[in-house]
Amino acid sequence: MNTYFFSLTCAILTSILWGSAFVAQDMGMDFIGPHTFNVGRFLVGFLTLLPFFLFLELKKIKKKNIFNKKAFFYLIVLGFILGVGQALQQISLIYTDVANTGVFTVMYVLIVPFISYFIFKKKIHWSVWPAALFCVIGGLLLSELKNISVRYGDALGVLSAFCWALHIIYIRKTVQFFNYPITIAMAQCLIAFLLTILPMVIYEDPL
């Protein structure tokens, strides 16, 4: 299969799955708090990926002896960003509707080139800039400007988008020297799970 076509197919499938998950996230908030939801989500993610890691990538990593301090550091950073980004996104659903959260989260697509250009000095196609402007205008039109609580929820959605943008950039950096996607995804879920336990215990009553 063509590599580009396979990558594009994976990206589209990911968008469908991630977009569909917003509905479940919103419905889950009717029964449990945002941190409890995230703890359960990351735990399920870790346990689901664990068998694939054991059967598909563990032997390869041991054979190449590629797991080192650099890989460990990047996995912790990725897990931290994932945990914070997901917390912001989940909490935003308390103050705004699922459509707004989805739209503002998608702004990470535009934030990625901004960070790449201004921080990493990478060339960006001219079409990105007007697209970014239209995205901001569209986001403002979707938000209820007279409703302070909704604007607060939208702001949390935008902050989560910055986390997703950083997440994508750091994943790209990680796979350049540690190209084991299942291990990366599993480690992220584990670290994010451990990170979100504390706020769940402090601010919520999961039992």
Side-chain angles (χ1 to χ4, degrees):
M1 181 183 291
N2 181 275
T3 304
Y4 176 78
F5 178 76
F6 178 73
S7 300
L8 183 61
T9 303
C10 289
I12 294 174
L13 180 60
T14 301
S15 299
I16 294 172
L17 292 173
W18 197 15
S20 303
F22 277 109
V23 179
Q25 288 178 242
D26 189 46
M27 294 176 64
M29 298 295 289
D30 295 334
F31 306 97
I32 55 178
H35 300 298
T36 304
F37 185 93
N38 286 335
V39 167
R41 181 179 189 174
F42 291 132
L43 179 59
V44 170
F46 168 72
L47 294 176
T48 302
L49 291 166
L50 183 58
F52 294 96
F53 163 73
L54 294 175
F55 286 105
L56 298 177
E57 291 188 351
L58 180 59
K59 288 184 179 180
K60 296 178 182 178
I61 294 173
K62 286 183 175 180
K63 186 177 180 180
K64 292 186 177 181
N65 194 26
I66 196 172
F67 195 83
N68 50 35
K69 291 182 179 180
K70 183 178 181 181
F72 183 72
F73 172 77
Y74 270 77
L75 291 178
I76 289 180
V77 170
L78 286 171
F80 177 80
I81 296 174
L82 177 64
V84 173
Q86 187 58 50
L88 290 169
Q89 184 186 89
Q90 198 66 33
I91 295 172
S92 73
L93 290 169
I94 299 175
Y95 301 99
T96 189
D97 58 51
V98 65
N100 279 33
T101 300
V103 167
F104 284 105
T105 298
V106 171
M107 286 185 69
Y108 79 87
V109 176
L110 301 173
I111 298 172
V112 169
F114 270 90
I115 295 176
S116 298
Y117 179 78
F118 289 106
I119 297 180
F120 297 102
K121 308 300 180 182
K122 290 190 175 182
K123 292 183 179 180
I124 304 297
H125 193 272
W126 66 267
S127 61
V128 169
W129 309 118
L133 177 62
F134 284 119
C135 184
V136 172
I137 294 173
L140 289 174
L141 293 175
L142 283 170
S143 179
E144 298 178 35
L145 297 179
K146 295 182 180 180
N147 190 328
I148 295 177
S149 64
V150 169
R151 279 186 287 162
Y152 176 66
D154 292 345
L156 292 177
V158 173
L159 288 175
S160 76
F162 275 95
C163 290
W164 302 131
L166 287 172
H167 189 250
I168 289 174
I169 291 172
Y170 272 95
I171 282 182
R172 181 178 180 276
K173 289 179 173 293
T174 304
V175 297
Q176 288 177 345
F177 66 90
F178 189 78
N179 191 13
Y180 295 94
I182 296 175
T183 305
I184 293 173
M186 183 196 69
Q188 287 180 90
C189 287
L190 176 60
I191 293 166
F193 162 71
L194 297 174
L195 180 68
T196 49
I197 288 177
L198 183 60
M200 178 190 71
V201 173
I202 294 176
Y203 297 108
E204 298 171 6
D205 185 13
L207 300 178

